[in-house]
Amino acid sequence: MKIEDLTQNRSKENFALHDKHLNSQMVKILQTIDFDRHYVRAKGAYLFDEQDNRYLDLLSGFGVFALGRNHAEIVEALKSTLDADMPNLVQLDVSLLSGLLAEKLVKLTPEGLDRVFFANSGTETVEAAIKFSRYATGKSKIIFCHGCYHGLSLGSLSATGDDHYKKGFGPLVPDFIEIPFNNLEALEQVLAQGDVAAFITEPIQGHGVWIPDDNYLPEAARLARKYGALFIADEIQTGLGRTGKWWAVEHWSVEPDILCTSKALSGGFVPVGALVCKEWIFDRVFNRMDRAVVHGSTFGKNNLAMAAGLATLEVLESENLIEHSARTGASIMDALTPLTEKYECFKEIRGKGMMIALEFTEPKSPMLKMSWKMLESANKGLFSQLITVPLFREHRILSQVAGHGMNIVKFIPPLILTESDVQWIVSAVNDVLANAHRGPAAVWDFGKTLALRSLRNKLRS
């Protein structure tokens, strides 16, 4: 089978196939907001449609494409792995590539993390972190933060602080305790009971890009150890250069007991997740030969995933992408900050490296305030779509709302953006904000567009 021939012959069937066999609601969303494009190729930070229009991808597959799409070195690593005819997933064996990737991760992660467990995704690493924490400490309770996101499998969902994802999927796993993010008093109050296995947190919350106070993470780690709990850093999105350092915890000199990573480690090709932890935790979990397979992942150490991970780490180092992420992210934020004074709906821009949030707020002037309330009464967080939709339709910039019901737009672009890409972003955001501040006229145009697209979608079905 030639995939190229297959995709060319049926290139325009993707929406029909998904509508019939996969998630039809996703198709309806894309068609309603005019995001239903037929992309035919991708390179670096760009997507290209059938008319060869170029789109700047500030979503990067939810952070997967930190190196951009179809990076030549990752492609070559995968091709050479396939050409080598290596034994793969023998299972009653230990593979060389997984050992090499583990060795590299141990060198790059914070001090004291010496053992690695490989899985297929971020949510699997969180599941492993929960299990390892419970077994290693002999305790059951897991503390997590309101607003956090750790995954959608049952254990990771139980540790996710957003009810939007939980409704209808209960009962969830017991002994999970939710506290406010960035609140040390609430954390210590629960830890002090002495029955907590672990505290899990994103160093920077992905949904909203909420950055903690400078003392929060160091003190949280200290409190966890004081009361005999483990500190788990979920670096699935924030890790591997996203925030301008290898790991976001490095901004605060924090050394976790367990670190979870995934997304960018794949190079954008083969799913891979890694849990890196202290040796004593591994020694507790895998404490006898008959427990050697007490936790595992069938495909977790497959050769293609390990090769993708090794190549990704090599590219991050050789192309100095960690430093580039810090510089370019700062450049974007510096250029957009003056717009918070220019446009009253634009409350704040915040972030670290290439993890950036644009937060919007209810304006004070009567006409704009009326427009805001019109949108919010229709659907909480709808104003954000007044930003993301025209960014895409009129400026070909793909971005996302930072979380359910939020008036926050999030940029998590590839780490490879150029100066011209930065200018593209700044010019587009300025134009879209100016249009949004036309008040009722902007809301009317936006509403009319959505209504027409929605009607067209209904007629299709």
Side-chain angles (χ1 to χ4, degrees), residues 88-91 95 97-98 101 117-121 124 270-274 295-307:
N88 189 26
L89 298 175
V90 178
Q91 305 300 5
S95 68
L97 288 182
S98 59
L101 181 55
F117 171 80
F118 287 114
N120 302 283
S121 65
E124 283 190 38
V270 186
V272 59
H295 185 76
S297 175
T298 301
F299 294 100
K301 293 181 285 186
N302 76 84
N303 285 337
L304 287 176
M306 301 299 97

Side-chain angles (χ1 to χ4, degrees), residues 136 218 327 378 424 451:
R327 287 196 308 271
W424 186 353

Side-chain angles (χ1 to χ4, degrees), residues 386-433:
L386 195 60
I387 307 300
T388 59
V389 171
L391 272 178
F392 183 78
R393 292 181 62 219
E394 296 166 23
H395 298 278
R396 299 195 184 109
I397 291 178
L398 182 62
S399 61
Q400 67 175 134
V401 176
H404 180 71
M406 291 182 177
N407 275 307
I408 301 171
V409 172
K410 179 179 175 183
F411 295 160
I412 45 171
L415 310 186
I416 59 172
L417 294 189
T418 65
E419 290 184 15
S420 62
D421 294 331
V422 173
Q423 292 306 312
W424 186 353
I425 294 166
V426 173
S427 174
V429 170
N430 185 44
D431 181 71
V432 167
L433 284 172

